[in-house]
Amino acid sequence: MGKPKRKNLPDLSDLAITGAKIAVKVTPKAAANGIIQSETGLKVTVTCVPENGKATEAVRSLLAKAMGVASSNLELHQGATSRNKVFVYTGRG
């Protein structure tokens, strides 16, 4: 997985509030990495396969890049093996 380009991602810096829960719907094995904002929430597509947490780590990295924070500031709160995931912004680091 290559590093995502910031210009292709929406500005999600408003989500960088300590304790904020960020719900995402993930589509693994997509043609390209991306984030789509809609009324129903965030939809994240990643090119990684959903094996051994690779897709989850790709989502964490992509989400952190869009928020302008370090990926270590995002903890997976719910959905380790599900397409519906909830990350929590810890604000540390």
Side-chain angles (χ1 to χ4, degrees), residues 7-30:
K7 65 182 178 181
N8 298 337
L9 300 174
D11 181 15
L12 300 178
S13 58
D14 58 320
L15 298 177
I17 300 168
T18 302
K21 291 186 178 182
I22 304 156
V24 297
K25 181 168 176 112
V26 180
T27 303
K29 298 194 313 186

Side-chain angles (χ1 to χ4, degrees), residues 37-79:
Q37 282 183 294
S38 67
E39 306 84 42
T40 58
L42 294 175
K43 295 180 182 178
V44 180
T45 59
V46 292
T47 58
C48 290
V49 294
E51 294 175 348
N52 302 321
K54 290 179 186 176
T56 300
E57 287 307 310
V59 170
R60 182 192 323 259
S61 175
L62 199 62
L63 196 56
K65 187 73 136 174
M67 292 172 65
V69 300
S71 61
S72 61
N73 288 337
L74 291 171
E75 286 184 1
L76 183 63
H77 183 68
Q78 184 178 1

